[in-house]
CSV table of all heavy atoms in Angstrom, one decimal:
chain,number,residue,atom,x,y,z
A,1,MET,N,-4.5,-9.5,15.9
A,1,MET,CA,-3.6,-9.3,14.9
A,1,MET,C,-2.2,-8.9,15.5
A,1,MET,O,-2.2,-8.1,16.4
A,1,MET,CB,-4.1,-8.1,14.0
A,1,MET,CG,-3.2,-7.9,12.8
A,1,MET,SD,-3.7,-6.5,11.7
A,1,MET,CE,-5.4,-6.8,11.4
A,2,ALA,N,-1.2,-9.5,15.0
A,2,ALA,CA,0.1,-9.2,15.5
A,2,ALA,C,0.6,-7.8,15.1
A,2,ALA,O,0.3,-7.3,14.0
A,2,ALA,CB,1.1,-10.2,15.0
A,3,PRO,N,1.4,-7.1,15.9
A,3,PRO,CA,1.9,-5.8,15.6
A,3,PRO,C,2.9,-5.9,14.4
A,3,PRO,O,3.6,-6.9,14.3
A,3,PRO,CB,2.5,-5.3,16.8
A,3,PRO,CG,2.8,-6.5,17.6
A,3,PRO,CD,1.8,-7.5,17.3
A,4,GLU,N,3.0,-4.9,13.6
A,4,GLU,CA,4.0,-4.8,12.6
A,4,GLU,C,5.4,-4.6,13.2
A,4,GLU,O,5.5,-3.8,14.1
A,4,GLU,CB,3.7,-3.7,11.6
A,4,GLU,CG,2.5,-3.9,10.7
A,4,GLU,CD,2.4,-2.8,9.7
A,4,GLU,OE1,3.4,-2.1,9.4
A,4,GLU,OE2,1.3,-2.7,9.1
A,5,PRO,N,6.3,-5.4,12.7
A,5,PRO,CA,7.7,-5.2,13.2
A,5,PRO,C,8.3,-3.9,12.8
A,5,PRO,O,7.9,-3.4,11.7
A,5,PRO,CB,8.5,-6.4,12.6
A,5,PRO,CG,7.7,-6.8,11.4
A,5,PRO,CD,6.3,-6.4,11.7
A,6,ALA,N,9.1,-3.3,13.6
A,6,ALA,CA,9.8,-2.0,13.2
A,6,ALA,C,10.7,-2.4,12.1
A,6,ALA,O,11.5,-3.3,12.1
A,6,ALA,CB,10.5,-1.4,14.3
A,7,ALA,N,10.7,-1.6,11.0
A,7,ALA,CA,11.6,-1.8,9.9
A,7,ALA,C,12.0,-0.4,9.4
A,7,ALA,O,11.4,0.6,9.6
A,7,ALA,CB,10.9,-2.6,8.8
A,8,PRO,N,13.2,-0.4,8.7
A,8,PRO,CA,13.6,0.9,8.2
A,8,PRO,C,12.6,1.4,7.2
A,8,PRO,O,12.0,0.7,6.4
A,8,PRO,CB,14.9,0.6,7.5
A,8,PRO,CG,15.0,-0.9,7.4
A,8,PRO,CD,14.0,-1.5,8.4
A,9,ASP,N,12.4,2.7,7.2
A,9,ASP,CA,11.4,3.3,6.3
A,9,ASP,C,12.0,3.5,4.9
A,9,ASP,O,13.0,4.2,4.7
A,9,ASP,CB,11.0,4.7,6.9
A,9,ASP,CG,9.7,5.2,6.3
A,9,ASP,OD1,9.1,4.4,5.5
A,9,ASP,OD2,9.4,6.3,6.6
A,10,SER,N,11.5,2.8,4.0
A,10,SER,CA,12.1,2.8,2.6
A,10,SER,C,11.7,4.0,1.8
A,10,SER,O,12.3,4.3,0.8
A,10,SER,CB,11.7,1.5,1.9
A,10,SER,OG,10.3,1.5,1.8
A,11,SER,N,10.6,4.6,2.2
A,11,SER,CA,10.1,5.8,1.4
A,11,SER,C,9.5,6.8,2.4
A,11,SER,O,8.8,6.4,3.3
A,11,SER,CB,9.1,5.3,0.4
A,11,SER,OG,8.5,6.5,-0.2
A,12,PRO,N,9.8,8.0,2.2
A,12,PRO,CA,9.2,9.1,3.1
A,12,PRO,C,7.7,9.3,2.7
A,12,PRO,O,7.1,10.2,3.3
A,12,PRO,CB,10.1,10.3,2.8
A,12,PRO,CG,10.6,10.1,1.5
A,12,PRO,CD,10.7,8.6,1.3
A,13,ASP,N,7.2,8.6,1.7
A,13,ASP,CA,5.9,8.8,1.1
A,13,ASP,C,4.9,8.5,2.2
A,13,ASP,O,5.0,7.4,2.9
A,13,ASP,CB,5.7,7.9,-0.1
A,13,ASP,CG,4.7,8.4,-1.1
A,13,ASP,OD1,4.2,9.5,-0.9
A,13,ASP,OD2,4.4,7.7,-2.0
A,14,ASP,N,3.8,9.3,2.3
A,14,ASP,CA,2.8,9.0,3.3
A,14,ASP,C,1.7,8.2,2.6
A,14,ASP,O,1.0,8.7,1.7
A,14,ASP,CB,2.2,10.4,3.8
A,14,ASP,CG,1.1,10.2,4.8
A,14,ASP,OD1,0.8,9.1,5.3
A,14,ASP,OD2,0.4,11.2,5.0
A,15,PRO,N,1.4,7.0,3.1
A,15,PRO,CA,0.4,6.2,2.5
A,15,PRO,C,-1.0,6.8,2.5
A,15,PRO,O,-1.8,6.5,1.6
A,15,PRO,CB,0.4,4.9,3.4
A,15,PRO,CG,1.7,4.8,4.0
A,15,PRO,CD,2.1,6.3,4.2
A,16,ALA,N,-1.3,7.7,3.4
A,16,ALA,CA,-2.6,8.3,3.5
A,16,ALA,C,-2.9,9.1,2.2
A,16,ALA,O,-4.1,9.3,1.9
A,16,ALA,CB,-2.8,9.2,4.7
A,17,ARG,N,-1.9,9.6,1.5
A,17,ARG,CA,-2.1,10.4,0.3
A,17,ARG,C,-2.8,9.6,-0.8
A,17,ARG,O,-3.3,10.2,-1.8
A,17,ARG,CB,-0.8,11.0,-0.1
A,17,ARG,CG,0.1,10.1,-0.8
A,17,ARG,CD,1.4,10.6,-1.3
A,17,ARG,NE,1.4,12.0,-1.5
A,17,ARG,CZ,2.4,12.8,-1.4
A,17,ARG,NH1,3.6,12.3,-1.2
A,17,ARG,NH2,2.3,14.1,-1.6
A,18,TYR,N,-2.7,8.3,-0.8
A,18,TYR,CA,-3.3,7.4,-1.8
A,18,TYR,C,-4.8,7.2,-1.7
A,18,TYR,O,-5.4,6.8,-2.7
A,18,TYR,CB,-2.5,6.1,-1.9
A,18,TYR,CG,-1.1,6.3,-2.3
A,18,TYR,CD1,-0.1,6.5,-1.4
A,18,TYR,CD2,-0.7,6.3,-3.7
A,18,TYR,CE1,1.2,6.7,-1.7
A,18,TYR,CE2,0.6,6.5,-4.0
A,18,TYR,CZ,1.6,6.7,-3.1
A,18,TYR,OH,2.9,6.9,-3.4
A,19,VAL,N,-5.3,7.3,-0.5
A,19,VAL,CA,-6.7,7.1,-0.2
A,19,VAL,C,-7.6,8.0,-1.0
A,19,VAL,O,-7.3,9.3,-1.0
A,19,VAL,CB,-7.1,7.2,1.3
A,19,VAL,CG1,-8.6,7.0,1.5
A,19,VAL,CG2,-6.3,6.1,2.0
A,20,GLY,N,-8.5,7.5,-1.8
A,20,GLY,CA,-9.4,8.3,-2.6
A,20,GLY,C,-9.0,8.4,-4.1
A,20,GLY,O,-9.8,8.7,-4.9
A,21,LEU,N,-7.8,7.9,-4.4
A,21,LEU,CA,-7.3,7.9,-5.8
A,21,LEU,C,-7.9,6.6,-6.5
A,21,LEU,O,-8.2,5.6,-5.8
A,21,LEU,CB,-5.8,7.8,-5.9
A,21,LEU,CG,-5.0,9.1,-5.3
A,21,LEU,CD1,-3.5,8.8,-5.4
A,21,LEU,CD2,-5.4,10.3,-6.1
A,22,SER,N,-7.9,6.7,-7.8
A,22,SER,CA,-8.3,5.4,-8.5
A,22,SER,C,-7.1,4.5,-8.3
A,22,SER,O,-6.0,4.9,-8.1
A,22,SER,CB,-8.5,5.7,-10.0
A,22,SER,OG,-7.2,6.0,-10.6
A,23,SER,N,-7.4,3.2,-8.4
A,23,SER,CA,-6.3,2.2,-8.2
A,23,SER,C,-5.2,2.4,-9.3
A,23,SER,O,-4.0,2.3,-8.9
A,23,SER,CB,-6.8,0.8,-8.3
A,23,SER,OG,-7.4,0.5,-9.6
A,24,GLU,N,-5.5,2.7,-10.5
A,24,GLU,CA,-4.5,2.9,-11.6
A,24,GLU,C,-3.6,4.1,-11.2
A,24,GLU,O,-2.4,4.1,-11.4
A,24,GLU,CB,-5.2,3.1,-12.9
A,24,GLU,CG,-5.9,1.9,-13.4
A,24,GLU,CD,-7.3,1.8,-12.9
A,24,GLU,OE1,-7.9,2.8,-12.3
A,24,GLU,OE2,-8.0,0.7,-13.0
A,25,ALA,N,-4.3,5.2,-10.9
A,25,ALA,CA,-3.5,6.5,-10.5
A,25,ALA,C,-2.6,6.2,-9.3
A,25,ALA,O,-1.5,6.7,-9.3
A,25,ALA,CB,-4.4,7.6,-10.3
A,26,ALA,N,-3.1,5.5,-8.3
A,26,ALA,CA,-2.4,5.3,-7.1
A,26,ALA,C,-1.2,4.4,-7.4
A,26,ALA,O,-0.1,4.7,-6.9
A,26,ALA,CB,-3.3,4.6,-6.1
A,27,GLU,N,-1.3,3.4,-8.2
A,27,GLU,CA,-0.2,2.5,-8.6
A,27,GLU,C,0.8,3.2,-9.4
A,27,GLU,O,2.0,3.1,-9.1
A,27,GLU,CB,-0.7,1.3,-9.4
A,27,GLU,CG,0.3,0.2,-9.6
A,27,GLU,CD,-0.2,-1.1,-10.2
A,27,GLU,OE1,-1.4,-1.2,-10.3
A,27,GLU,OE2,0.7,-1.9,-10.5
A,28,GLN,N,0.4,4.0,-10.3
A,28,GLN,CA,1.4,4.8,-11.1
A,28,GLN,C,2.1,5.8,-10.2
A,28,GLN,O,3.4,5.9,-10.4
A,28,GLN,CB,0.7,5.6,-12.2
A,28,GLN,CG,0.2,4.7,-13.3
A,28,GLN,CD,-0.7,5.4,-14.4
A,28,GLN,OE1,-0.9,6.6,-14.2
A,28,GLN,NE2,-1.1,4.7,-15.4
A,29,HIS,N,1.4,6.5,-9.4
A,29,HIS,CA,2.1,7.4,-8.5
A,29,HIS,C,3.0,6.7,-7.5
A,29,HIS,O,4.2,7.2,-7.3
A,29,HIS,CB,1.0,8.2,-7.7
A,29,HIS,CG,1.5,9.3,-6.8
A,29,HIS,ND1,2.0,10.5,-7.3
A,29,HIS,CD2,1.7,9.4,-5.5
A,29,HIS,CE1,2.4,11.2,-6.3
A,29,HIS,NE2,2.2,10.6,-5.2
A,30,ALA,N,2.7,5.6,-7.0
A,30,ALA,CA,3.5,4.9,-6.1
A,30,ALA,C,4.8,4.4,-6.8
A,30,ALA,O,5.9,4.6,-6.2
A,30,ALA,CB,2.8,3.6,-5.5
A,31,ARG,N,4.7,3.9,-8.0
A,31,ARG,CA,5.9,3.5,-8.7
A,31,ARG,C,6.8,4.7,-9.0
A,31,ARG,O,8.0,4.6,-8.9
A,31,ARG,CB,5.5,2.7,-10.0
A,31,ARG,CG,4.9,1.4,-9.6
A,31,ARG,CD,4.8,0.5,-10.8
A,31,ARG,NE,4.0,-0.7,-10.4
A,31,ARG,CZ,4.3,-1.7,-9.7
A,31,ARG,NH1,5.6,-1.8,-9.2
A,31,ARG,NH2,3.6,-2.8,-9.5
A,32,ALA,N,6.2,5.8,-9.4
A,32,ALA,CA,7.0,7.0,-9.7
A,32,ALA,C,7.7,7.5,-8.4
A,32,ALA,O,8.7,8.2,-8.5
A,32,ALA,CB,6.1,8.1,-10.2
A,33,ARG,N,7.1,7.3,-7.2
A,33,ARG,CA,7.7,7.7,-5.9
A,33,ARG,C,8.7,6.7,-5.4
A,33,ARG,O,9.2,6.9,-4.3
A,33,ARG,CB,6.6,7.9,-4.9
A,33,ARG,CG,5.6,9.0,-5.2
A,33,ARG,CD,6.1,10.4,-4.9
A,33,ARG,NE,6.3,10.5,-3.5
A,33,ARG,CZ,7.0,11.5,-2.9
A,33,ARG,NH1,7.5,12.4,-3.7
A,33,ARG,NH2,7.2,11.5,-1.6
A,34,GLY,N,9.0,5.6,-6.1
A,34,GLY,CA,10.0,4.7,-5.7
A,34,GLY,C,9.6,3.4,-5.0
A,34,GLY,O,10.5,2.7,-4.6
A,35,TRP,N,8.3,3.1,-4.9
A,35,TRP,CA,7.9,1.9,-4.3
A,35,TRP,C,8.3,0.7,-5.2
A,35,TRP,O,8.0,0.7,-6.4
A,35,TRP,CB,6.4,1.9,-4.0
A,35,TRP,CG,6.1,2.8,-3.0
A,35,TRP,CD1,5.6,4.1,-3.2
A,35,TRP,CD2,6.2,2.7,-1.6
A,35,TRP,NE1,5.3,4.7,-2.0
A,35,TRP,CE2,5.7,3.8,-0.9
A,35,TRP,CE3,6.6,1.6,-0.7
A,35,TRP,CZ2,5.7,4.0,0.4
A,35,TRP,CZ3,6.6,1.8,0.6
A,35,TRP,CH2,6.1,2.9,1.2
A,36,SER,N,9.0,-0.3,-4.7
A,36,SER,CA,9.5,-1.4,-5.5
A,36,SER,C,8.4,-2.4,-5.8
A,36,SER,O,8.3,-3.0,-6.9
A,36,SER,CB,10.7,-2.1,-4.9
A,36,SER,OG,10.3,-2.6,-3.6
A,37,THR,N,7.4,-2.5,-4.9
A,37,THR,CA,6.3,-3.4,-5.1
A,37,THR,C,5.0,-2.7,-4.7
A,37,THR,O,4.9,-2.0,-3.6
A,37,THR,CB,6.4,-4.7,-4.2
A,37,THR,OG1,7.6,-5.3,-4.5
A,37,THR,CG2,5.3,-5.6,-4.4
A,38,VAL,N,4.0,-2.8,-5.5
A,38,VAL,CA,2.7,-2.2,-5.2
A,38,VAL,C,1.7,-3.4,-5.3
A,38,VAL,O,1.5,-4.0,-6.3
A,38,VAL,CB,2.2,-1.1,-6.2
A,38,VAL,CG1,0.9,-0.5,-5.8
A,38,VAL,CG2,3.3,0.0,-6.2
A,39,ARG,N,1.0,-3.6,-4.1
A,39,ARG,CA,0.1,-4.8,-4.1
A,39,ARG,C,-1.3,-4.2,-4.0
A,39,ARG,O,-1.7,-3.5,-3.1
A,39,ARG,CB,0.4,-5.6,-2.8
A,39,ARG,CG,-0.5,-6.8,-2.7
A,39,ARG,CD,0.1,-7.9,-1.7
A,39,ARG,NE,0.2,-7.4,-0.4
A,39,ARG,CZ,0.4,-8.2,0.7
A,39,ARG,NH1,0.6,-9.5,0.5
A,39,ARG,NH2,0.5,-7.7,1.9
A,40,VAL,N,-2.2,-4.6,-4.9
A,40,VAL,CA,-3.6,-4.1,-4.9
A,40,VAL,C,-4.4,-5.3,-4.4
A,40,VAL,O,-4.4,-6.4,-4.9
A,40,VAL,CB,-4.0,-3.7,-6.4
A,40,VAL,CG1,-5.5,-3.3,-6.4
A,40,VAL,CG2,-3.1,-2.6,-6.9
A,41,LEU,N,-5.3,-5.0,-3.4
A,41,LEU,CA,-6.1,-6.0,-2.7
A,41,LEU,C,-7.5,-5.5,-2.6
A,41,LEU,O,-7.8,-4.3,-2.5
A,41,LEU,CB,-5.5,-6.2,-1.3
A,41,LEU,CG,-4.0,-6.5,-1.2
A,41,LEU,CD1,-3.5,-6.2,0.2
A,41,LEU,CD2,-3.8,-8.0,-1.5
A,42,ALA,N,-8.4,-6.5,-2.4
A,42,ALA,CA,-9.8,-6.2,-2.0
A,42,ALA,C,-9.7,-5.8,-0.5
A,42,ALA,O,-8.8,-6.3,0.2
A,42,ALA,CB,-10.7,-7.4,-2.2
A,43,PRO,N,-10.6,-4.9,0.0
A,43,PRO,CA,-10.6,-4.5,1.3
A,43,PRO,C,-10.6,-5.6,2.4
A,43,PRO,O,-10.0,-5.5,3.4
A,43,PRO,CB,-11.8,-3.6,1.5
A,43,PRO,CG,-12.0,-3.1,0.1
A,43,PRO,CD,-11.6,-4.2,-0.8
A,44,ASP,N,-11.3,-6.7,2.1
A,44,ASP,CA,-11.4,-7.8,3.0
A,44,ASP,C,-10.6,-9.0,2.6
A,44,ASP,O,-10.9,-10.1,3.0
A,44,ASP,CB,-12.9,-8.1,3.2
A,44,ASP,CG,-13.6,-8.4,1.9
A,44,ASP,OD1,-12.9,-8.3,0.8
A,44,ASP,OD2,-14.8,-8.8,1.9
A,45,ALA,N,-9.6,-8.8,1.8
A,45,ALA,CA,-8.7,-9.9,1.3
A,45,ALA,C,-8.0,-10.6,2.5
A,45,ALA,O,-7.5,-9.9,3.4
A,45,ALA,CB,-7.8,-9.4,0.3
A,46,ILE,N,-7.8,-11.8,2.4
A,46,ILE,CA,-7.0,-12.5,3.4
A,46,ILE,C,-5.5,-12.5,2.9
A,46,ILE,O,-5.3,-13.0,1.8
A,46,ILE,CB,-7.5,-14.0,3.6
A,46,ILE,CG1,-8.9,-14.0,4.1
A,46,ILE,CG2,-6.5,-14.8,4.5
A,46,ILE,CD1,-9.6,-15.3,4.2
A,47,ILE,N,-4.6,-12.0,3.7
A,47,ILE,CA,-3.2,-11.8,3.2
A,47,ILE,C,-2.3,-12.3,4.4
A,47,ILE,O,-2.7,-12.3,5.5
A,47,ILE,CB,-2.9,-10.4,2.9
A,47,ILE,CG1,-3.2,-9.4,4.0
A,47,ILE,CG2,-3.7,-9.9,1.6
A,47,ILE,CD1,-2.7,-8.0,3.8
A,48,THR,N,-1.1,-12.5,4.0
A,48,THR,CA,-0.1,-12.8,5.0
A,48,THR,C,0.4,-11.5,5.6
A,48,THR,O,0.2,-10.5,5.0
A,48,THR,CB,1.1,-13.6,4.4
A,48,THR,OG1,1.7,-12.7,3.4
A,48,THR,CG2,0.7,-14.9,3.8
A,49,MET,N,0.9,-11.6,6.8
A,49,MET,CA,1.3,-10.4,7.5
A,49,MET,C,2.8,-10.0,7.5
A,49,MET,O,3.2,-9.2,8.3
A,49,MET,CB,0.8,-10.5,9.0
A,49,MET,CG,-0.7,-10.5,9.1
A,49,MET,SD,-1.6,-9.1,8.4
A,49,MET,CE,-1.0,-7.8,9.4
A,50,GLU,N,3.6,-10.7,6.7
A,50,GLU,CA,5.0,-10.4,6.7
A,50,GLU,C,5.2,-9.0,6.1
A,50,GLU,O,4.5,-8.5,5.3
A,50,GLU,CB,5.8,-11.4,5.8
A,50,GLU,CG,5.8,-11.2,4.3
A,50,GLU,CD,4.6,-11.7,3.6
A,50,GLU,OE1,3.6,-12.2,4.2
A,50,GLU,OE2,4.6,-11.6,2.4
A,51,TYR,N,6.2,-8.3,6.7
A,51,TYR,CA,6.5,-7.0,6.3
A,51,TYR,C,7.6,-7.0,5.3
A,51,TYR,O,8.6,-7.6,5.5
A,51,TYR,CB,7.0,-6.2,7.5
A,51,TYR,CG,7.3,-4.7,7.2
A,51,TYR,CD1,6.3,-3.8,7.4
A,51,TYR,CD2,8.5,-4.3,6.7
A,51,TYR,CE1,6.5,-2.4,7.1
A,51,TYR,CE2,8.7,-3.0,6.4
A,51,TYR,CZ,7.7,-2.0,6.6
A,51,TYR,OH,8.0,-0.7,6.3
A,52,LEU,N,7.4,-6.4,4.1
A,52,LEU,CA,8.4,-6.3,3.1
A,52,LEU,C,8.7,-4.9,2.9
A,52,LEU,O,7.8,-4.1,2.4
A,52,LEU,CB,7.9,-6.9,1.8
A,52,LEU,CG,7.6,-8.4,1.8
A,52,LEU,CD1,7.1,-8.9,0.4
A,52,LEU,CD2,8.9,-9.2,2.1
A,53,ASP,N,9.9,-4.5,3.1
A,53,ASP,CA,10.4,-3.1,2.9
A,53,ASP,C,10.3,-2.8,1.5
A,53,ASP,O,10.6,-3.6,0.6
A,53,ASP,CB,11.9,-3.0,3.4
A,53,ASP,CG,12.3,-1.6,3.5
A,53,ASP,OD1,11.5,-0.7,3.9
A,53,ASP,OD2,13.5,-1.3,3.2
A,54,GLY,N,9.7,-1.6,1.2
A,54,GLY,CA,9.6,-1.2,-0.2
A,54,GLY,C,8.3,-1.6,-0.9
A,54,GLY,O,8.0,-1.3,-2.0
A,55,ARG,N,7.4,-2.2,-0.1
A,55,ARG,CA,6.0,-2.6,-0.6
A,55,ARG,C,5.0,-1.7,-0.1
A,55,ARG,O,4.9,-1.3,1.0
A,55,ARG,CB,5.7,-4.0,-0.3
A,55,ARG,CG,4.3,-4.5,-0.8
A,55,ARG,CD,4.0,-5.9,-0.6
A,55,ARG,NE,3.9,-6.3,0.8
A,55,ARG,CZ,3.8,-7.5,1.2
A,55,ARG,NH1,3.9,-8.5,0.4
A,55,ARG,NH2,3.7,-7.8,2.5
A,56,LEU,N,4.1,-1.3,-1.0
A,56,LEU,CA,2.9,-0.5,-0.7
A,56,LEU,C,1.7,-1.3,-1.0
A,56,LEU,O,1.6,-1.8,-2.1
A,56,LEU,CB,2.9,0.8,-1.5
A,56,LEU,CG,1.9,1.9,-1.1
A,56,LEU,CD1,2.2,2.4,0.3
A,56,LEU,CD2,1.8,3.0,-2.0
A,57,ASN,N,0.8,-1.4,0.0
A,57,ASN,CA,-0.4,-2.2,-0.1
A,57,ASN,C,-1.6,-1.2,-0.3
A,57,ASN,O,-1.8,-0.2,0.4
A,57,ASN,CB,-0.7,-3.0,1.1
A,57,ASN,CG,0.4,-4.0,1.4
A,57,ASN,OD1,0.5,-5.0,0.7
A,57,ASN,ND2,1.2,-3.7,2.4
A,58,LEU,N,-2.4,-1.5,-1.3
A,58,LEU,CA,-3.6,-0.7,-1.7
A,58,LEU,C,-4.8,-1.5,-1.5
A,58,LEU,O,-5.0,-2.5,-2.3
A,58,LEU,CB,-3.5,-0.1,-3.1
A,58,LEU,CG,-2.2,0.7,-3.4
A,58,LEU,CD1,-2.2,1.0,-4.9
A,58,LEU,CD2,-2.2,2.0,-2.6
A,59,ALA,N,-5.7,-1.2,-0.6
A,59,ALA,CA,-7.0,-1.9,-0.5
A,59,ALA,C,-8.0,-1.1,-1.4
A,59,ALA,O,-8.2,0.1,-1.2
A,59,ALA,CB,-7.5,-1.9,0.9
A,60,VAL,N,-8.5,-1.7,-2.4
A,60,VAL,CA,-9.3,-1.1,-3.5
A,60,VAL,C,-10.8,-1.6,-3.5
A,60,VAL,O,-11.0,-2.8,-3.5
A,60,VAL,CB,-8.7,-1.2,-4.9
A,60,VAL,CG1,-9.5,-0.7,-6.0
A,60,VAL,CG2,-7.3,-0.6,-4.8
A,61,ARG,N,-11.7,-0.7,-3.5
A,61,ARG,CA,-13.1,-1.1,-3.6
A,61,ARG,C,-13.7,-0.2,-4.7
A,61,ARG,O,-13.6,1.0,-4.7
A,61,ARG,CB,-13.9,-0.8,-2.3
A,61,ARG,CG,-15.4,-1.1,-2.4
A,61,ARG,CD,-16.2,-0.9,-1.2
A,61,ARG,NE,-15.8,-1.9,-0.2
A,61,ARG,CZ,-15.4,-1.6,1.1
A,61,ARG,NH1,-15.3,-0.4,1.5
A,61,ARG,NH2,-15.1,-2.6,1.9
A,62,ASP,N,-14.4,-0.9,-5.7
A,62,ASP,CA,-15.0,-0.2,-6.8
A,62,ASP,C,-14.0,0.8,-7.5
A,62,ASP,O,-14.4,1.9,-7.9
A,62,ASP,CB,-16.2,0.6,-6.4
A,62,ASP,CG,-17.3,-0.3,-5.8
A,62,ASP,OD1,-17.5,-1.4,-6.3
A,62,ASP,OD2,-18.0,0.2,-4.9
A,63,GLY,N,-12.8,0.3,-7.7
A,63,GLY,CA,-11.8,1.1,-8.4
A,63,GLY,C,-11.1,2.2,-7.7
A,63,GLY,O,-10.3,2.9,-8.2
A,64,GLU,N,-11.5,2.4,-6.4
A,64,GLU,CA,-10.9,3.5,-5.6
A,64,GLU,C,-10.2,3.0,-4.3
A,64,GLU,O,-10.7,2.0,-3.7
A,64,GLU,CB,-12.1,4.4,-5.1
A,64,GLU,CG,-11.6,5.6,-4.3
A,64,GLU,CD,-12.8,6.5,-3.9
A,64,GLU,OE1,-13.6,6.8,-4.8
A,64,GLU,OE2,-12.9,6.8,-2.7
A,65,VAL,N,-9.0,3.5,-4.0
A,65,VAL,CA,-8.3,3.1,-2.9
A,65,VAL,C,-9.0,3.6,-1.6
A,65,VAL,O,-9.3,4.8,-1.4
A,65,VAL,CB,-6.8,3.8,-2.9
A,65,VAL,CG1,-6.1,3.4,-1.6
A,65,VAL,CG2,-6.1,3.3,-4.1
A,66,VAL,N,-9.3,2.6,-0.7
A,66,VAL,CA,-10.0,2.9,0.5
A,66,VAL,C,-9.1,2.8,1.8
A,66,VAL,O,-9.4,3.3,2.8
A,66,VAL,CB,-11.2,2.0,0.7
A,66,VAL,CG1,-12.3,2.3,-0.4
A,66,VAL,CG2,-10.9,0.6,0.7
A,67,ARG,N,-7.9,2.2,1.6
A,67,ARG,CA,-6.9,2.0,2.7
A,67,ARG,C,-5.6,1.8,2.0
A,67,ARG,O,-5.5,1.1,1.0
A,67,ARG,CB,-7.3,0.8,3.6
A,67,ARG,CG,-6.4,0.6,4.7
A,67,ARG,CD,-6.9,-0.4,5.7
A,67,ARG,NE,-5.9,-0.7,6.7
A,67,ARG,CZ,-5.3,-1.9,6.9
A,67,ARG,NH1,-5.6,-2.9,6.2
A,67,ARG,NH2,-4.3,-2.0,7.8
A,68,CYS,N,-4.5,2.3,2.7
A,68,CYS,CA,-3.2,2.1,2.1
A,68,CYS,C,-2.2,2.0,3.3
A,68,CYS,O,-2.3,2.7,4.3
A,68,CYS,CB,-2.9,3.3,1.2
A,68,CYS,SG,-1.3,3.2,0.4
A,69,TRP,N,-1.2,1.0,3.2
A,69,TRP,CA,-0.2,0.9,4.2
A,69,TRP,C,1.0,0.3,3.7
A,69,TRP,O,1.1,-0.3,2.6
A,69,TRP,CB,-0.8,0.0,5.4
A,69,TRP,CG,-1.0,-1.4,5.0
A,69,TRP,CD1,-0.2,-2.5,5.3
A,69,TRP,CD2,-2.1,-2.0,4.3
A,69,TRP,NE1,-0.7,-3.6,4.8
A,69,TRP,CE2,-1.9,-3.4,4.2
A,69,TRP,CE3,-3.3,-1.5,3.8
A,69,TRP,CZ2,-2.8,-4.2,3.6
A,69,TRP,CZ3,-4.2,-2.3,3.2
A,69,TRP,CH2,-4.0,-3.7,3.1
A,70,LYS,N,2.1,0.6,4.4
A,70,LYS,CA,3.5,0.1,4.0
A,70,LYS,C,3.6,-1.3,4.4
A,70,LYS,O,3.1,-1.8,5.4
A,70,LYS,CB,4.5,1.0,4.7
A,70,LYS,CG,4.5,2.4,4.3
A,70,LYS,CD,5.6,3.2,5.0
A,70,LYS,CE,5.5,4.7,4.6
A,70,LYS,NZ,6.6,5.4,5.3
A,71,GLY,N,4.5,-2.0,3.7
A,71,GLY,CA,4.9,-3.3,4.0
A,71,GLY,C,4.3,-4.4,3.3
A,71,GLY,O,4.4,-5.6,3.5
């Protein structure tokens, strides 16, 4: 896997705080914290690796966030 390019940090929000939340609560919280895009994915989803400033990715299994990362 290619390393993520360095990009300006769009939000001081820590993605680890979303792990364990329901997908609905995590998405609402992220939007309230200023994330312009919130992407909800299955944990093993095939995705492109481009970094988008302002996007928060939520890997969700059985309605619960199991992983979260910026970009």
Side-chain angles (χ1 to χ4, degrees):
M1 184 183 309
E4 287 187 20
D9 199 5
S10 61
S11 174
D13 205 10
D14 179 14
R17 76 179 339 153
Y18 294 92
V19 175
L21 296 177
S22 71
S23 61
E24 295 84 12
E27 187 171 353
Q28 289 174 357
H29 185 71
R31 294 194 188 283
R33 296 280 297 167
W35 292 98
S36 58
T37 304
V38 180
R39 182 165 66 168
V40 178
L41 308 157
D44 54 359
I46 297 172
I47 59 172
T48 59
M49 294 303 295
E50 83 278 4
Y51 184 94
L52 293 178
D53 192 36
R55 178 171 65 190
L56 188 67
N57 298 288
L58 305 171
V60 175
R61 178 180 290 128
D62 298 327
E64 182 179 310
V65 177
V66 295
R67 181 173 174 240
C68 183
W69 68 99
K70 296 178 182 184

